[in-house]
């Protein structure tokens, strides 16, 4: 949400009380395809209003092993929001999500820490976390340096609060229209294999 009401952007994560979440974005996929690639249980995949989400999947909303995920689209990006799990960070999941396209994942937890991964064609191009000074890894860890630097995301330095949210918005044009009462794709993600 922005100060002017429901809007596009990631301000709802700056302003809201979301101690743990994982956001997965994929370019030019439908929300249902994103969930399928993430490993949603097909028996739980559905297009349902928020009120039915609690009725259908309420006991598992925040389960970390088989989390409920809600998905939508904003511009060219499909998004999936896990409020309890970290499936989007899993290397196998991210490889499937980014096959033939590009994907961005942001995991946030209460430490506070953000974990960012950018993948293209099945491989992680840039990845880093903010628990300590930033040390990007991946196939091309310097690819986003020019975009990260003005946001205070500098190699070897502790990042500013919400710097990774700003990176998603500025480098990728990612936003997320705040979910309301309208129907969204949702389902329960299957447990990740050991």
């Amino acid at each position: 949400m922005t100060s002017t009401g429901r809007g596009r952007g990631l301000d709802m994560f700056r302003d809201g009380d979301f101690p743990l979440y994982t956001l997965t974005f994929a370019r030019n996929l439908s929300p249902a395809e994103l969930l399928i690639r993430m490993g949603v249980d097909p028996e739980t995949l559905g297009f349902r209003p928020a009120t039915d989400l609690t009725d259908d999947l309420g006991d598992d909303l925040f389960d970390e092993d088989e989390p409920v995920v809600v998905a939508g689209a904003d511009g060219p990006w499909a998004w999936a929001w896990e409020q309890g799990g970290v499936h989007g960070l899993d290397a196998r999941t991210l490889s499937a999500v980014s096959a033939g396209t590009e994907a961005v994942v942001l995991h946030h937890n209460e430490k506070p820490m953000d974990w960012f991964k950018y993948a293209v064609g099945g491989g992680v191009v840039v990845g880093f976390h903010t628990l300590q000074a930033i040390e990007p890894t991946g196939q091309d860890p310097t690819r986003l340096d020019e975009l990260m630097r003005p946001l205070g995301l500098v190699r070897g330095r502790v990042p500013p609060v919400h710097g990774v949210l700003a990176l998603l918005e500025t480098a990728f044009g990612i936003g997320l229209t705040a979910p309301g009462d309208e129907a969204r794709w949702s389902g329960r993600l299957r447990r990740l294999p050991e």
Side-chain angles (χ1 to χ4, degrees):
M1 295 268 255
T2 64
S3 59
T4 58
R6 279 183 67 190
R8 189 175 181 280
L10 297 172
D11 283 344
M12 65 185 278
F13 296 101
R14 288 180 182 90
D15 302 334
D17 183 19
F18 301 104
L20 175 70
Y21 61 84
T22 303
L23 301 171
T24 303
F25 299 88
R27 187 182 291 276
N28 299 324
L29 294 183
S30 70
E33 176 64 20
L34 174 56
L35 293 182
I36 291 166
R37 288 185 183 204
M38 288 182 71
V40 75
D41 178 345
E43 292 181 14
T44 67
L45 180 63
F47 190 71
R48 52 178 72 86
T51 53
D52 289 350
L53 188 64
T54 302
D55 293 341
D56 293 351
L57 304 166
D59 292 342
D60 299 319
L61 284 178
F62 303 105
D63 186 284
E64 65 182 56
D65 293 324
E66 296 181 356
V68 170
V69 62
V70 177
D74 196 283
W77 293 93
W79 55 263
W81 180 358
E82 299 173 63
Q83 294 186 46
V86 293
H87 282 53
L89 283 178
D90 180 74
R92 296 159 296 195
T93 301
L94 188 53
S95 178
V97 167
S98 66
T101 188
E102 60 184 318
V104 177
V105 176
L106 169 62
H107 169 72
H108 174 84
N109 65 38
E110 66 280 353
K111 287 182 181 172
M113 179 185 81
D114 290 325
W115 195 334
F116 168 87
K117 290 186 180 183
Y118 169 56
V120 177
V124 175
V125 177
V126 179
F128 64 87
H129 65 78
T130 64
L131 191 56
Q132 301 165 338
I134 294 175
E135 292 298 333
T137 60
Q139 296 170 347
D140 186 1
T142 62
R143 182 183 287 188
L144 300 176
D145 282 1
E146 293 302 313
L147 298 167
M148 292 169 58
R149 194 170 295 114
L151 303 172
L153 299 170
V154 179
R155 184 179 303 272
R157 293 192 191 158
V158 175
V161 174
H162 306 307
V164 180
L165 289 171
L167 178 64
L168 269 64
E169 293 166 327
T170 60
F172 301 99
I174 287 176
L176 190 150
T177 304
D181 293 332
E182 68 273 11
R184 300 273 185 192
W185 284 98
S186 60
R188 184 182 310 108
L189 294 172
R190 289 178 290 213
R191 183 180 297 265
L192 291 169
E194 296 295 323

